Amino acid sequence: MLTGGGDCPGLNAVIRAVVRASDAEGWDCVAVREGWRGLVEGLFEDLSPQRVSGILPRGGTIIGTSRTNPFKLDGGVEKVLQNFSDRGIDALVAIGGEDTLGVAARLFREHGFPVVGVPKTIDNDLSGTDYTFGFDTAVTIATEAIDRLHTTAESHNRVMVVEVMGRHAGWIAVMSGIAGGADVILIPEQPMTVEKACEELRRRHARGKSFSIVVVSEGYELSYESGESQLVAGEARATDQFGHVVLGGVGEALGREIEQRTGYETRVTVLGHVQRGGSPTPRDRVLATRFGLKAAELAHKGDFGKMAALRGDDIVAVPLDEATAELKLVTPEWYDVARAFFG
Ligand code: F6P
């Protein structure tokens, strides 16, 4: 198995489940180290039940990860196929988000590669599954941060802007904002204008509240009534091998705008990779474990080109193509729930 893309809490729980279920059926497991880079470069490690003992509550991934895309490397795909067959592996469990699973889907489609997928990402933006593991932990961390910012905001009569991750999807912002009682939540899918956000804050202050919490998703574009919008991204606007711009910084820009336009003293907190670190919540451990068992079952049966997914309370198998066709974005209905508490 391999883990690819940004790490997230629960990866080790999947690894443990796949190894334990496979061992019980008489299969040996091998780790491909550091995502797709490991298959391009032939980086393998045997994974025994002893090796995965005690990793259930541990964050990160014991087998490493990377954002390597073999389709972007000269001869990358040929090396993947060669190393895989040289090592004598029967099936690959690819644990990742849209990028990692997008590579898996393409390898299956174009080369009949024997792969099954497990949906991982704190962003919760994968179609085909109700939830990805890692998301609940990220939302828990962000909610706790919002709770803490509330008390200091109130003491100082300040506006606190909290920037959370999520890339093009505002799920972490919406869920942690609802759970933490945010006064304004800004997301990429439905970009409320800066003017409107300031109006909500003034309305709240007019009601006698002297502090406010604003949650902004990193992919939100600063939007104005004039129709202009601006994506604030990492300084050099660097992109990874999957073409994603490195995001971050919109919180600072928004905080400046709010302070200038309203005159309310404003501070900004960027949660960053804290949202991805540390131990998974019980819910993520359980979901990751169930996904791992399903992926092992699919791999043992030779039912390739599928991904383990959560539908309602059931774990099912969905085609990888379906899961990676488009991103799952925040729906208007969900944003309405958040908006009911603005201002
Ligand atoms: O996809 C997960 C994620 O944490 C996004 O929310 C974020 O934009 C990105 O990864 C950060 O990537 P990196 O770890 O490469 O800085």
Side-chain angles (χ1 to χ4, degrees):
M1 70 200 87
L2 63 76
T3 52
D7 72 338
C8 89
L11 286 168
N12 288 325
V14 180
I15 294 168
R16 168 180 172 269
V18 174
V19 170
R20 291 282 293 272
S22 299
D23 186 62
E25 296 282 323
W27 293 73
D28 291 329
C29 287
V30 175
V32 175
R33 297 219 38 111
E34 295 172 26
W36 293 113
R37 182 194 298 153
L39 266 186
V40 173
E41 296 179 13
L43 312 173
F44 299 108
E45 176 194 343
D46 289 337
L47 278 183
S48 64
Q50 288 73 25
R51 171 80 172 101
V52 300
S53 172
I55 66 171
L56 174 62
R58 209 195 298 174
T61 163
I62 64 161
I63 61 176
T65 187
S66 69
R67 292 199 189 277
T68 299
N69 180 354
F71 286 97
K72 282 284 151 71
L73 301 175
D74 247 2
V77 172
E78 290 68 29
K79 284 181 192 150
V80 163
L81 300 176
Q82 193 62 52
N83 284 324
F84 190 77
S85 111
D86 286 355
R87 190 68 167 73
I89 303 172
D90 299 296
L92 178 72
V93 175
I95 312 165
E98 46 148 344
D99 299 331
T100 304
L101 297 183
V103 170
R106 202 168 154 194
L107 284 172
F108 175 73
R109 207 185 317 125
E110 295 177 10
H111 301 276
F113 194 74
V115 63
V116 300
V118 174
K120 152 265 43 159
T121 165
I122 63 165
D123 302 338
N124 197 39
D125 58 357
L126 264 175
S127 298
T129 184
D130 290 352
Y131 287 95
T132 53
F133 70 86
F135 175 62
D136 185 61
T137 307
V139 170
T140 302
I141 293 166
T143 303
E144 195 202 324
I146 294 168
D147 288 348
R148 289 176 184 280
L149 290 168
H150 254 110
T151 60
T152 172
E154 188 165 13
S155 306
H156 285 266
N157 296 334
R158 282 174 174 158
V159 174
M160 299 302 246
V161 174
V162 193
E163 180 185 309
V164 298
M165 282 185 165
R167 197 166 264 161
H168 307 298
W171 289 111
I172 297 176
V174 163
M175 294 298 186
S176 65
I178 293 171
D183 305 300
V184 173
I185 302 170
L186 299 164
I187 60 170
E189 293 90 335
Q190 292 188 55
M192 172 183 276
T193 62
V194 171
E195 290 91 338
K196 180 79 179 106
C198 290
E199 197 182 307
E200 295 285 11
L201 297 179
R202 283 195 209 94
R203 195 158 67 87
R204 177 174 156 79
H205 285 227
R207 284 198 290 119
K209 294 287 188 184
S210 55
F211 70 96
S212 296
I213 302 287
V214 177
V215 178
V216 60
S217 186
E218 63 180 359
Y220 164 77
E221 298 193 9
L222 281 179
S223 311
Y224 300 91
E225 295 291 316
S226 62
E228 274 173 70
S229 62
Q230 182 200 342
L231 178 69
V232 181
E235 254 175 49
R237 297 183 68 85
T239 53
D240 62 21
Q241 282 189 4
F242 289 91
H244 298 298
V245 173
V246 178
L247 294 171
V250 69
E252 277 299 336
L254 179 67
R256 276 194 302 275
E257 287 275 19
I258 289 174
E259 192 165 80
Q260 275 167 17
R261 287 166 185 265
T262 63
Y264 305 144
E265 189 179 27
T266 302
R267 293 287 189 273
V268 177
T269 301
V270 180
L271 292 185
H273 293 80
V274 167
Q275 293 159 99
R276 277 192 0 214
S279 196
T281 58
R283 188 186 166 88
D284 274 341
R285 293 181 201 188
V286 172
L287 183 58
T289 297
R290 294 178 77 198
F291 279 160
L293 293 181
K294 186 68 179 182
E297 178 198 315
L298 293 171
H300 300 161
K301 282 197 307 203
D303 197 357
F304 300 123
K306 305 265 177 69
M307 179 187 87
L310 179 70
R311 293 274 171 91
D313 206 25
D314 298 327
I315 302 293
V316 299
V318 297
L320 271 170
D321 271 338
E322 182 190 313
T324 53
E326 57 180 30
L327 286 181
K328 186 179 70 187
L329 299 174
V330 173
T331 57
E333 291 75 19
W334 266 112
Y335 195 55
D336 285 347
V337 176
R339 212 179 353 217
F341 299 92
F342 286 6

